[in-house]
Amino acid sequence: MTSILFATSEARPLIKTGGLADVSGALPAALREIGVDCRILLPGYRKVMDALPDLHEVARFHELPYFGNVRLLEGRIPVSETPVYVIDSPWHYLREGGPYQDALGKDFPDNAWRFGLLSYLAARLASPDSPLDWRPDLLHGNDWQTGLAPAYLHYAGHRTPCVMTIHNLAHQGIFPPEMVEELGLPPESFDISGVEYYGNLSFLKAGLYFADWITTVSPSYAEEIQHAHLGMGMQGLLTDRRDHLTGILNGIDTTDWNPAGDPHLNCKYSSRATPGKKGCKQALQAEMGLIADTDAPLFGVVSRLADQKGLDWVLQVSGGILDRGGQLVVLGTGEKTIETALRNLAHNHPGRVAAFIGYDESLSHRIEAGIDIFLMPSRFEPCGLNQMYSLRYGSVPIVHATGGLKDTVEDGVTGFVYREPNSHGLWVAIERALALFAQKPAWRKMMLAGMKQDFSWEKSAREYAALYDRLLT
Ligand code: ADP
């Protein structure tokens, strides 16, 4: 049986800031279902320690150079029962705030050590120096937080194969050059053929340089990041490594996201029995203080409020949506300027626009179920999950033709895909959607086409398993 150590900085349901957590919660579990012994390595943040009462110690590292005393605990993720190794280092991880930032949204000043430790232990557990009896055949790292792991393995002379997955190239783990020594990397590693990146240390660059294979979360994004426009400075390296770079589309958790059995919904429905969706729309309009009108096209957004997500374009077309009798509901949190603009829009259009500024997983389910049309105008999108949730919930997505959005929504068949990267492009797609919305049978056909798509994790897990097999033979 192939064994994989899956190192990650967040995993549902323990700790989540974005799509990485969804993938880390679901992919290892899906791999285990098809016979791969995949285990997770995760920092012991307070939320993780609290959520896993059955943790027990399996190893102890004394006086680790650069990182101090650290314990390794083992437990199992609730429900999926995926084994998880948790790094118990209170000094690094037990503190207020999120995984990367304090309560005020400022990056922790010691993130290089915090995720240096995660990378170091990932490499150690994947090497012959591991204190565990269980030894992975391959190390699978995710995003910059684990990027130094393949470098640690390389400079220690170990040859365990490594896969690095890019979930979001925008975060590169860049730190000043002095950190190379502070993190126990040899001076020669600070080189273009090493961890150096435009005069600094980049965790992500290190991972992409030393990994045996690079994956990202959709085929289109794998192609796009080889060009300056979306390569975020890494395009040269990624182009050099293009023969070792593939895109594997994320799946979605079809148990959590199932309108026929979703505990967050009062009315259930499926592609065979759709009337419940109307009940969800009525309930959502009531909950969000929107005018009760099931004929009004109800648009929705669930998103981090970041520049990447194109909310400025939504704001620009909102007047048009309202002029055409539409309603808009937005759930999101993030940049203060976008939060304020959305709050103002809702304030100026009571009963027609509702904005919930915050993070609320249960509400995100009720929005996906209750709306007619989901807007996802991301400037770039490595994979994106919400457009897939929307398809499954019969809420027709309108998406910008980028990355995973382009790979999951079929224009004119399951949703609307537009190319022009601006609010005009979005508006033209909205007009097309509104025209179809007026033709009930055609609209229903599109809804059902989306609901019948298979985005289960099993397909993606099989692609990862095939990649592991290729690298191990
Ligand atoms: P990203 O990882 O760039 O944020 P994805 O679409 O890949 O984008 O994943 C976002 C995940 O976070 C989805 O599961 C989405 O439902 C969830 N999400 C984002 N913002 C919120 C919010 N304010 N409340 C609830 N869920 C949210």
Side-chain angles (χ1 to χ4, degrees), residues 12 16 18-19 21-23 26 251-265 268-271 277 301-303 331 359-371 374 384-395 450-451 453-457:
R12 268 202 86 225
K16 167 168 168 173
D22 294 280
V23 177
I252 58 171
D253 188 325
T254 48
T255 309
D256 272 358
W257 291 92
N258 173 17
D262 189 329
H264 304 291
L265 309 180
K268 318 279 189 228
Y269 62 98
S270 70
S271 58
K277 185 161 173 68
V301 174
V302 178
S303 181
L331 166 63
Y359 191 92
D360 186 333
E361 202 156 314
S362 181
L363 178 57
S364 75
H365 284 244
R366 292 194 295 282
I367 290 178
E368 288 290 3
I371 58 172
F374 190 81
L385 295 169
N386 278 297
Q387 82 281 11
M388 291 192 268
Y389 301 152
S390 303
L391 288 165
R392 191 156 162 78
Y393 278 57
S395 302
M451 291 180 87
Q453 299 265 297
D454 176 12
F455 291 119
S456 66
W457 267 105

Short mmCIF file of all heavy atoms in Angstrom, two decimals, residues 12 16 18-19 21-23 26 251-265 268-271 277 301-303 331 359-371 374 384-395 450-451 453-457:
data_model
loop_
_atom_site.label_atom_id
_atom_site.label_comp_id
_atom_site.label_asym_id
_atom_site.label_seq_id
_atom_site.Cartn_x
_atom_site.Cartn_y
_atom_site.Cartn_z
N ARG A 12 -9.92 21.19 7.09
CA ARG A 12 -11.29 21.10 7.62
C ARG A 12 -11.48 19.76 8.29
O ARG A 12 -10.94 18.77 7.81
CB ARG A 12 -12.29 21.18 6.46
CG ARG A 12 -12.77 22.54 6.15
CD ARG A 12 -14.10 22.49 5.40
NE ARG A 12 -15.19 22.42 6.36
CZ ARG A 12 -16.23 21.58 6.26
NH1 ARG A 12 -16.34 20.75 5.25
NH2 ARG A 12 -17.17 21.57 7.16
N LYS A 16 -9.69 26.45 9.28
CA LYS A 16 -9.90 26.80 7.87
C LYS A 16 -9.83 28.29 7.67
O LYS A 16 -10.43 29.05 8.42
CB LYS A 16 -11.27 26.27 7.42
CG LYS A 16 -11.74 26.84 6.09
CD LYS A 16 -12.93 26.11 5.52
CE LYS A 16 -13.53 26.91 4.37
NZ LYS A 16 -14.58 26.21 3.64
N GLY A 18 -9.49 29.04 3.98
CA GLY A 18 -9.88 29.06 2.57
C GLY A 18 -9.90 27.66 1.97
O GLY A 18 -9.96 26.66 2.70
N GLY A 19 -9.82 27.64 0.65
CA GLY A 19 -9.97 26.39 -0.10
C GLY A 19 -8.93 25.32 0.28
O GLY A 19 -9.23 24.12 0.20
N ALA A 21 -8.00 24.38 3.11
CA ALA A 21 -8.54 23.56 4.20
C ALA A 21 -9.55 22.54 3.67
O ALA A 21 -9.59 21.39 4.13
CB ALA A 21 -9.20 24.44 5.25
N ASP A 22 -10.34 22.95 2.69
CA ASP A 22 -11.32 22.02 2.12
C ASP A 22 -10.60 20.86 1.46
O ASP A 22 -10.96 19.70 1.63
CB ASP A 22 -12.20 22.74 1.09
CG ASP A 22 -13.09 23.80 1.73
OD1 ASP A 22 -14.13 23.44 2.30
OD2 ASP A 22 -12.73 24.98 1.69
N VAL A 23 -9.54 21.19 0.70
CA VAL A 23 -8.79 20.15 0.00
C VAL A 23 -8.12 19.22 1.02
O VAL A 23 -8.18 17.99 0.91
CB VAL A 23 -7.72 20.78 -0.92
CG1 VAL A 23 -6.88 19.70 -1.58
CG2 VAL A 23 -8.37 21.67 -1.97
N ALA A 26 -10.52 16.86 2.61
CA ALA A 26 -11.20 15.88 1.75
C ALA A 26 -10.26 14.95 0.98
O ALA A 26 -10.54 13.75 0.87
CB ALA A 26 -12.10 16.62 0.76
N GLY A 251 -11.98 18.40 -6.08
CA GLY A 251 -13.37 17.94 -5.98
C GLY A 251 -14.08 18.79 -4.94
O GLY A 251 -13.54 19.79 -4.44
N ILE A 252 -15.30 18.39 -4.62
CA ILE A 252 -16.00 19.01 -3.49
C ILE A 252 -16.50 17.89 -2.59
O ILE A 252 -16.63 16.75 -3.04
CB ILE A 252 -17.17 19.92 -3.93
CG1 ILE A 252 -18.21 19.14 -4.75
CG2 ILE A 252 -16.67 21.13 -4.68
CD1 ILE A 252 -19.48 19.93 -5.01
N ASP A 253 -16.76 18.23 -1.35
CA ASP A 253 -17.28 17.24 -0.42
C ASP A 253 -18.78 17.09 -0.69
O ASP A 253 -19.59 17.93 -0.30
CB ASP A 253 -17.03 17.71 1.02
CG ASP A 253 -17.37 16.63 2.03
OD1 ASP A 253 -18.34 15.88 1.78
OD2 ASP A 253 -16.67 16.54 3.04
N THR A 254 -19.13 15.99 -1.38
CA THR A 254 -20.52 15.84 -1.82
C THR A 254 -21.44 15.35 -0.69
O THR A 254 -22.64 15.26 -0.89
CB THR A 254 -20.60 14.87 -3.02
OG1 THR A 254 -19.84 13.70 -2.70
CG2 THR A 254 -20.03 15.51 -4.28
N THR A 255 -20.85 15.05 0.46
CA THR A 255 -21.72 14.73 1.61
C THR A 255 -22.12 16.02 2.31
O THR A 255 -23.28 16.27 2.59
CB THR A 255 -20.97 13.82 2.61
OG1 THR A 255 -20.43 12.72 1.87
CG2 THR A 255 -21.89 13.30 3.68
N ASP A 256 -21.11 16.88 2.55
CA ASP A 256 -21.40 18.19 3.16
C ASP A 256 -22.28 19.04 2.25
O ASP A 256 -23.13 19.78 2.71
CB ASP A 256 -20.09 18.98 3.34
CG ASP A 256 -19.42 18.66 4.65
OD1 ASP A 256 -20.00 17.88 5.41
OD2 ASP A 256 -18.33 19.19 4.90
N TRP A 257 -21.97 18.97 0.96
CA TRP A 257 -22.68 19.82 0.01
C TRP A 257 -23.65 18.98 -0.81
O TRP A 257 -23.38 18.60 -1.94
CB TRP A 257 -21.68 20.56 -0.89
CG TRP A 257 -20.90 21.58 -0.14
CD1 TRP A 257 -19.70 21.42 0.49
CD2 TRP A 257 -21.30 22.94 0.12
NE1 TRP A 257 -19.32 22.60 1.11
CE2 TRP A 257 -20.28 23.54 0.90
CE3 TRP A 257 -22.41 23.72 -0.24
CZ2 TRP A 257 -20.34 24.87 1.33
CZ3 TRP A 257 -22.47 25.03 0.18
CH2 TRP A 257 -21.46 25.60 0.96
N ASN A 258 -24.78 18.68 -0.17
CA ASN A 258 -25.78 17.83 -0.81
C ASN A 258 -27.15 18.41 -0.49
O ASN A 258 -27.64 18.28 0.64
CB ASN A 258 -25.66 16.40 -0.26
CG ASN A 258 -26.78 15.52 -0.75
OD1 ASN A 258 -27.47 15.85 -1.72
ND2 ASN A 258 -26.99 14.41 -0.07
N PRO A 259 -27.80 19.07 -1.47
CA PRO A 259 -29.06 19.74 -1.15
C PRO A 259 -30.16 18.77 -0.71
O PRO A 259 -31.14 19.18 -0.10
CB PRO A 259 -29.44 20.44 -2.48
CG PRO A 259 -28.69 19.72 -3.54
CD PRO A 259 -27.43 19.20 -2.90
N ALA A 260 -29.95 17.47 -0.97
CA ALA A 260 -30.99 16.51 -0.58
C ALA A 260 -30.87 16.14 0.90
O ALA A 260 -31.81 15.59 1.48
CB ALA A 260 -30.88 15.25 -1.43
N GLY A 261 -29.71 16.45 1.52
CA GLY A 261 -29.58 16.04 2.93
C GLY A 261 -28.87 17.08 3.76
O GLY A 261 -28.34 16.78 4.82
N ASP A 262 -28.86 18.32 3.28
CA ASP A 262 -28.09 19.38 3.93
C ASP A 262 -28.76 19.82 5.24
O ASP A 262 -29.86 20.39 5.22
CB ASP A 262 -27.98 20.57 2.95
CG ASP A 262 -27.02 21.63 3.44
OD1 ASP A 262 -26.89 21.79 4.67
OD2 ASP A 262 -26.42 22.32 2.60
N PRO A 263 -28.11 19.59 6.40
CA PRO A 263 -28.76 19.95 7.67
C PRO A 263 -28.96 21.46 7.85
O PRO A 263 -29.71 21.87 8.72
CB PRO A 263 -27.79 19.41 8.73
CG PRO A 263 -26.49 19.23 8.03
CD PRO A 263 -26.79 19.00 6.58
N HIS A 264 -28.28 22.27 7.03
CA HIS A 264 -28.44 23.73 7.15
C HIS A 264 -29.71 24.23 6.47
O HIS A 264 -30.05 25.40 6.57
CB HIS A 264 -27.23 24.45 6.55
CG HIS A 264 -25.93 24.02 7.17
ND1 HIS A 264 -25.60 24.33 8.47
CD2 HIS A 264 -24.91 23.27 6.69
CE1 HIS A 264 -24.41 23.82 8.75
NE2 HIS A 264 -23.98 23.17 7.69
N LEU A 265 -30.38 23.35 5.71
CA LEU A 265 -31.57 23.78 4.95
C LEU A 265 -32.84 23.21 5.57
O LEU A 265 -32.85 22.05 5.99
CB LEU A 265 -31.49 23.28 3.50
CG LEU A 265 -30.21 23.55 2.72
CD1 LEU A 265 -30.34 22.97 1.31
CD2 LEU A 265 -29.93 25.05 2.66
N LYS A 268 -35.38 20.49 1.58
CA LYS A 268 -34.38 19.72 0.84
C LYS A 268 -34.84 19.56 -0.62
O LYS A 268 -36.03 19.61 -0.90
CB LYS A 268 -34.19 18.34 1.46
CG LYS A 268 -34.17 18.32 2.97
CD LYS A 268 -32.84 18.70 3.56
CE LYS A 268 -32.84 18.45 5.06
NZ LYS A 268 -32.34 19.52 5.87
N TYR A 269 -33.89 19.34 -1.50
CA TYR A 269 -34.25 19.10 -2.90
C TYR A 269 -33.12 18.37 -3.61
O TYR A 269 -32.02 18.21 -3.06
CB TYR A 269 -34.58 20.42 -3.61
CG TYR A 269 -33.43 21.41 -3.67
CD1 TYR A 269 -32.63 21.50 -4.81
CD2 TYR A 269 -33.14 22.24 -2.60
CE1 TYR A 269 -31.58 22.41 -4.88
CE2 TYR A 269 -32.09 23.13 -2.65
CZ TYR A 269 -31.30 23.22 -3.79
OH TYR A 269 -30.26 24.10 -3.84
N SER A 270 -33.42 17.92 -4.82
CA SER A 270 -32.40 17.23 -5.62
C SER A 270 -32.75 17.43 -7.09
O SER A 270 -33.79 18.03 -7.40
CB SER A 270 -32.40 15.74 -5.29
OG SER A 270 -33.58 15.15 -5.79
N SER A 271 -31.94 16.88 -7.99
CA SER A 271 -32.24 17.06 -9.42
C SER A 271 -33.52 16.31 -9.78
O SER A 271 -34.16 16.61 -10.77
CB SER A 271 -31.06 16.58 -10.28
OG SER A 271 -30.78 15.23 -10.02
N LYS A 277 -36.25 23.81 -3.72
CA LYS A 277 -35.36 24.96 -3.94
C LYS A 277 -36.13 26.27 -3.79
O LYS A 277 -35.58 27.26 -3.29
CB LYS A 277 -34.68 24.86 -5.32
CG LYS A 277 -33.65 25.97 -5.53
CD LYS A 277 -32.66 25.65 -6.63
CE LYS A 277 -31.76 26.83 -6.94
NZ LYS A 277 -30.81 27.21 -5.89
N VAL A 301 -23.36 35.97 -3.81
CA VAL A 301 -21.90 35.89 -3.78
C VAL A 301 -21.51 35.35 -2.40
O VAL A 301 -22.04 35.81 -1.39
CB VAL A 301 -21.26 37.30 -3.94
CG1 VAL A 301 -19.74 37.21 -3.76
CG2 VAL A 301 -21.61 37.93 -5.28
N VAL A 302 -20.62 34.37 -2.37
CA VAL A 302 -19.99 33.94 -1.12
C VAL A 302 -18.50 33.96 -1.41
O VAL A 302 -18.03 33.26 -2.31
CB VAL A 302 -20.40 32.51 -0.70
CG1 VAL A 302 -19.68 32.10 0.58
CG2 VAL A 302 -21.91 32.41 -0.53
N SER A 303 -17.76 34.79 -0.69
CA SER A 303 -16.37 34.98 -1.11
C SER A 303 -15.53 35.64 -0.04
O SER A 303 -16.05 36.40 0.78
CB SER A 303 -16.37 35.89 -2.34
OG SER A 303 -15.07 36.10 -2.81
N LEU A 331 -22.25 37.29 1.05
CA LEU A 331 -21.64 36.85 2.31
C LEU A 331 -20.13 36.89 2.11
O LEU A 331 -19.62 36.29 1.17
CB LEU A 331 -22.08 35.42 2.63
CG LEU A 331 -21.27 34.70 3.73
CD1 LEU A 331 -21.41 35.39 5.08
CD2 LEU A 331 -21.73 33.23 3.85
N TYR A 359 -17.95 35.54 8.58
CA TYR A 359 -17.72 34.19 8.07
C TYR A 359 -18.76 33.29 8.68
O TYR A 359 -18.87 33.18 9.90
CB TYR A 359 -16.31 33.71 8.45
CG TYR A 359 -15.93 32.45 7.73
CD1 TYR A 359 -15.27 32.49 6.51
CD2 TYR A 359 -16.29 31.21 8.24
CE1 TYR A 359 -14.96 31.33 5.83
CE2 TYR A 359 -15.98 30.04 7.55
CZ TYR A 359 -15.31 30.13 6.35
OH TYR A 359 -15.02 28.97 5.67
N ASP A 360 -19.60 32.66 7.86
CA ASP A 360 -20.69 31.86 8.39
C ASP A 360 -20.95 30.70 7.44
O ASP A 360 -21.60 30.85 6.40
CB ASP A 360 -21.93 32.75 8.55
CG ASP A 360 -23.07 32.03 9.24
OD1 ASP A 360 -23.14 30.78 9.15
OD2 ASP A 360 -23.90 32.72 9.86
N GLU A 361 -20.42 29.54 7.83
CA GLU A 361 -20.51 28.38 6.93
C GLU A 361 -21.97 27.95 6.71
O GLU A 361 -22.36 27.63 5.58
CB GLU A 361 -19.70 27.23 7.54
CG GLU A 361 -19.30 26.23 6.49
CD GLU A 361 -18.07 25.44 6.90
OE1 GLU A 361 -17.08 26.04 7.37
OE2 GLU A 361 -18.11 24.21 6.74
N SER A 362 -22.76 27.99 7.77
CA SER A 362 -24.15 27.56 7.64
C SER A 362 -24.90 28.48 6.67
O SER A 362 -25.62 28.01 5.78
CB SER A 362 -24.79 27.59 9.03
OG SER A 362 -26.10 27.16 8.95
N LEU A 363 -24.69 29.77 6.82
CA LEU A 363 -25.35 30.72 5.91
C LEU A 363 -24.88 30.52 4.47
O LEU A 363 -25.67 30.66 3.52
CB LEU A 363 -25.07 32.17 6.37
CG LEU A 363 -25.66 33.28 5.50
CD1 LEU A 363 -27.18 33.16 5.36
CD2 LEU A 363 -25.31 34.68 6.07
N SER A 364 -23.61 30.14 4.31
CA SER A 364 -23.13 29.94 2.93
C SER A 364 -23.92 28.80 2.26
O SER A 364 -24.22 28.87 1.07
CB SER A 364 -21.61 29.66 2.90
OG SER A 364 -21.30 28.36 3.33
N HIS A 365 -24.32 27.80 3.03
CA HIS A 365 -25.15 26.73 2.45
C HIS A 365 -26.53 27.26 2.07
O HIS A 365 -27.07 26.92 1.01
CB HIS A 365 -25.31 25.59 3.47
CG HIS A 365 -24.09 24.73 3.59
ND1 HIS A 365 -24.06 23.41 3.26
CD2 HIS A 365 -22.84 25.03 4.02
CE1 HIS A 365 -22.85 22.91 3.48
NE2 HIS A 365 -22.09 23.88 3.96
N ARG A 366 -27.10 28.09 2.96
CA ARG A 366 -28.46 28.58 2.67
C ARG A 366 -28.45 29.54 1.48
O ARG A 366 -29.41 29.60 0.72
CB ARG A 366 -29.05 29.24 3.92
CG ARG A 366 -29.33 28.22 5.03
CD ARG A 366 -30.21 28.79 6.13
NE ARG A 366 -29.57 29.87 6.87
CZ ARG A 366 -28.64 29.70 7.81
NH1 ARG A 366 -28.25 28.48 8.13
NH2 ARG A 366 -28.11 30.72 8.44
N ILE A 367 -27.34 30.26 1.31
CA ILE A 367 -27.24 31.15 0.14
C ILE A 367 -27.12 30.30 -1.13
O ILE A 367 -27.85 30.53 -2.11
CB ILE A 367 -26.05 32.13 0.28
CG1 ILE A 367 -26.36 33.14 1.38
CG2 ILE A 367 -25.76 32.83 -1.05
CD1 ILE A 367 -25.25 34.14 1.66
N GLU A 368 -26.23 29.34 -1.12
CA GLU A 368 -26.07 28.49 -2.31
C GLU A 368 -27.40 27.85 -2.72
O GLU A 368 -27.68 27.70 -3.90
CB GLU A 368 -25.02 27.40 -2.07
CG GLU A 368 -23.59 27.89 -2.01
CD GLU A 368 -23.06 28.37 -3.36
OE1 GLU A 368 -23.82 28.37 -4.34
OE2 GLU A 368 -21.87 28.75 -3.42
N ALA A 369 -28.21 27.48 -1.72
CA ALA A 369 -29.48 26.82 -2.02
C ALA A 369 -30.56 27.82 -2.45
O ALA A 369 -31.37 27.52 -3.34
CB ALA A 369 -29.95 26.05 -0.79
N GLY A 370 -30.55 29.00 -1.84
CA GLY A 370 -31.68 29.92 -2.02
C GLY A 370 -31.58 30.82 -3.24
O GLY A 370 -32.60 31.34 -3.71
N ILE A 371 -30.40 31.03 -3.77
CA ILE A 371 -30.26 31.97 -4.90
C ILE A 371 -30.57 31.28 -6.23
O ILE A 371 -30.66 30.06 -6.31
CB ILE A 371 -28.82 32.54 -4.96
CG1 ILE A 371 -27.80 31.40 -5.09
CG2 ILE A 371 -28.53 33.39 -3.72
CD1 ILE A 371 -26.39 31.87 -5.35
N PHE A 374 -25.29 32.53 -9.22
CA PHE A 374 -24.10 32.77 -8.39
C PHE A 374 -23.07 33.56 -9.20
O PHE A 374 -22.76 33.18 -10.35
CB PHE A 374 -23.50 31.44 -7.94
CG PHE A 374 -22.43 31.61 -6.91
CD1 PHE A 374 -22.75 31.81 -5.57
CD2 PHE A 374 -21.10 31.62 -7.26
CE1 PHE A 374 -21.77 32.00 -4.61
CE2 PHE A 374 -20.10 31.80 -6.31
CZ PHE A 374 -20.44 32.00 -4.98
N GLY A 384 -11.26 27.25 -7.29
CA GLY A 384 -12.57 27.78 -6.88
C GLY A 384 -13.47 26.63 -6.48
O GLY A 384 -13.48 25.57 -7.13
N LEU A 385 -14.19 26.82 -5.41
CA LEU A 385 -15.09 25.78 -4.94
C LEU A 385 -16.55 26.21 -5.08
O LEU A 385 -17.41 25.42 -5.40
CB LEU A 385 -14.80 25.47 -3.46
CG LEU A 385 -13.42 24.87 -3.19
CD1 LEU A 385 -13.12 24.84 -1.70
CD2 LEU A 385 -13.34 23.47 -3.76
N ASN A 386 -16.78 27.50 -4.83
CA ASN A 386 -18.18 27.94 -4.77
C ASN A 386 -18.94 27.76 -6.08
O ASN A 386 -20.14 27.53 -6.06
CB ASN A 386 -18.25 29.38 -4.31
CG ASN A 386 -18.15 29.47 -2.80
OD1 ASN A 386 -19.02 28.95 -2.11
ND2 ASN A 386 -17.09 30.06 -2.31
N GLN A 387 -18.23 27.85 -7.21
CA GLN A 387 -18.95 27.63 -8.47
C GLN A 387 -19.41 26.18 -8.57
O GLN A 387 -20.47 25.89 -9.13
CB GLN A 387 -18.09 28.05 -9.67
CG GLN A 387 -17.07 27.04 -10.16
CD GLN A 387 -15.80 27.01 -9.29
OE1 GLN A 387 -15.76 27.59 -8.21
NE2 GLN A 387 -14.78 26.32 -9.75
N MET A 388 -18.63 25.26 -7.95
CA MET A 388 -19.04 23.85 -7.98
C MET A 388 -20.18 23.60 -7.00
O MET A 388 -21.11 22.85 -7.29
CB MET A 388 -17.84 22.95 -7.67
CG MET A 388 -16.81 22.95 -8.78
SD MET A 388 -15.57 21.65 -8.59
CE MET A 388 -14.29 22.52 -7.68
N TYR A 389 -20.10 24.26 -5.81
CA TYR A 389 -21.23 24.14 -4.88
C TYR A 389 -22.50 24.65 -5.57
O TYR A 389 -23.57 24.07 -5.44
CB TYR A 389 -21.01 24.97 -3.60
CG TYR A 389 -19.78 24.61 -2.79
CD1 TYR A 389 -19.14 25.58 -2.01
CD2 TYR A 389 -19.26 23.33 -2.79
CE1 TYR A 389 -18.03 25.28 -1.25
CE2 TYR A 389 -18.13 23.02 -2.03
CZ TYR A 389 -17.51 23.99 -1.26
OH TYR A 389 -16.41 23.71 -0.52
N SER A 390 -22.36 25.77 -6.28
CA SER A 390 -23.53 26.37 -6.95
C SER A 390 -24.12 25.40 -7.96
O SER A 390 -25.34 25.21 -8.02
CB SER A 390 -23.12 27.65 -7.67
OG SER A 390 -22.56 28.55 -6.76
N LEU A 391 -23.25 24.81 -8.77
CA LEU A 391 -23.75 23.87 -9.78
C LEU A 391 -24.54 22.75 -9.09
O LEU A 391 -25.64 22.40 -9.52
CB LEU A 391 -22.57 23.27 -10.57
CG LEU A 391 -21.89 24.23 -11.54
CD1 LEU A 391 -20.54 23.68 -12.00
CD2 LEU A 391 -22.79 24.51 -12.75
N ARG A 392 -23.99 22.24 -8.02
CA ARG A 392 -24.64 21.12 -7.31
C ARG A 392 -25.96 21.54 -6.69
O ARG A 392 -26.87 20.74 -6.53
CB ARG A 392 -23.69 20.60 -6.24
CG ARG A 392 -24.13 19.30 -5.63
CD ARG A 392 -22.96 18.56 -5.05
NE ARG A 392 -23.38 17.53 -4.10
CZ ARG A 392 -23.87 16.35 -4.42
NH1 ARG A 392 -24.03 16.03 -5.70
NH2 ARG A 392 -24.21 15.48 -3.49
N TYR A 393 -26.07 22.83 -6.35
CA TYR A 393 -27.29 23.33 -5.70
C TYR A 393 -28.27 23.96 -6.70
O TYR A 393 -29.21 24.63 -6.31
CB TYR A 393 -26.92 24.33 -4.59
CG TYR A 393 -26.54 23.63 -3.29
CD1 TYR A 393 -25.50 22.70 -3.26
CD2 TYR A 393 -27.24 23.86 -2.11
CE1 TYR A 393 -25.15 22.04 -2.09
CE2 TYR A 393 -26.90 23.20 -0.94
CZ TYR A 393 -25.86 22.29 -0.93
OH TYR A 393 -25.53 21.63 0.23
N GLY A 394 -28.01 23.76 -8.00
CA GLY A 394 -28.94 24.27 -9.01
C GLY A 394 -28.97 25.78 -9.09
O GLY A 394 -29.95 26.37 -9.53
N SER A 395 -27.87 26.43 -8.64
CA SER A 395 -27.77 27.89 -8.74
C SER A 395 -26.78 28.18 -9.86
O SER A 395 -25.60 27.86 -9.74
CB SER A 395 -27.27 28.47 -7.41
OG SER A 395 -28.16 28.09 -6.38
N GLY A 450 -26.25 21.31 -14.49
CA GLY A 450 -25.24 21.57 -13.47
C GLY A 450 -25.35 20.61 -12.30
O GLY A 450 -24.35 20.09 -11.81
N MET A 451 -26.60 20.36 -11.88
CA MET A 451 -26.80 19.51 -10.70
C MET A 451 -26.33 18.08 -10.94
O MET A 451 -25.98 17.36 -10.00
CB MET A 451 -28.30 19.50 -10.31
CG MET A 451 -28.76 20.83 -9.77
SD MET A 451 -30.49 20.85 -9.32
CE MET A 451 -30.41 20.24 -7.65
N GLN A 453 -23.65 17.17 -12.65
CA GLN A 453 -22.19 17.05 -12.82
C GLN A 453 -21.60 16.27 -11.65
O GLN A 453 -22.08 16.38 -10.53
CB GLN A 453 -21.55 18.44 -12.82
CG GLN A 453 -22.03 19.33 -13.93
CD GLN A 453 -21.11 19.28 -15.12
OE1 GLN A 453 -19.97 19.66 -15.01
NE2 GLN A 453 -21.60 18.80 -16.22
N ASP A 454 -20.52 15.54 -11.93
CA ASP A 454 -19.86 14.79 -10.88
C ASP A 454 -18.58 15.51 -10.47
O ASP A 454 -17.60 15.52 -11.21
CB ASP A 454 -19.53 13.38 -11.37
CG ASP A 454 -18.74 12.58 -10.34
OD1 ASP A 454 -18.64 13.03 -9.18
OD2 ASP A 454 -18.21 11.51 -10.70
N PHE A 455 -18.60 16.15 -9.29
CA PHE A 455 -17.39 16.81 -8.79
C PHE A 455 -16.88 16.11 -7.52
O PHE A 455 -16.27 16.72 -6.66
CB PHE A 455 -17.66 18.28 -8.49
CG PHE A 455 -17.91 19.11 -9.71
CD1 PHE A 455 -19.11 19.76 -9.90
CD2 PHE A 455 -16.93 19.22 -10.69
CE1 PHE A 455 -19.33 20.54 -11.03
CE2 PHE A 455 -17.14 19.99 -11.83
CZ PHE A 455 -18.35 20.65 -12.00
N SER A 456 -17.18 14.81 -7.41
CA SER A 456 -16.76 14.12 -6.19
C SER A 456 -15.24 14.01 -6.15
O SER A 456 -14.56 14.07 -7.18
CB SER A 456 -17.38 12.72 -6.14
OG SER A 456 -16.84 11.96 -7.19
N TRP A 457 -14.71 13.85 -4.95
CA TRP A 457 -13.26 13.79 -4.77
C TRP A 457 -12.65 12.52 -5.34
O TRP A 457 -11.44 12.46 -5.57
CB TRP A 457 -12.91 13.92 -3.29
CG TRP A 457 -12.64 15.34 -2.92
CD1 TRP A 457 -13.47 16.18 -2.23
CD2 TRP A 457 -11.47 16.11 -3.26
NE1 TRP A 457 -12.88 17.42 -2.12
CE2 TRP A 457 -11.66 17.40 -2.75
CE3 TRP A 457 -10.30 15.83 -3.96
CZ2 TRP A 457 -10.72 18.41 -2.88
CZ3 TRP A 457 -9.36 16.82 -4.11
CH2 TRP A 457 -9.57 18.09 -3.58
#
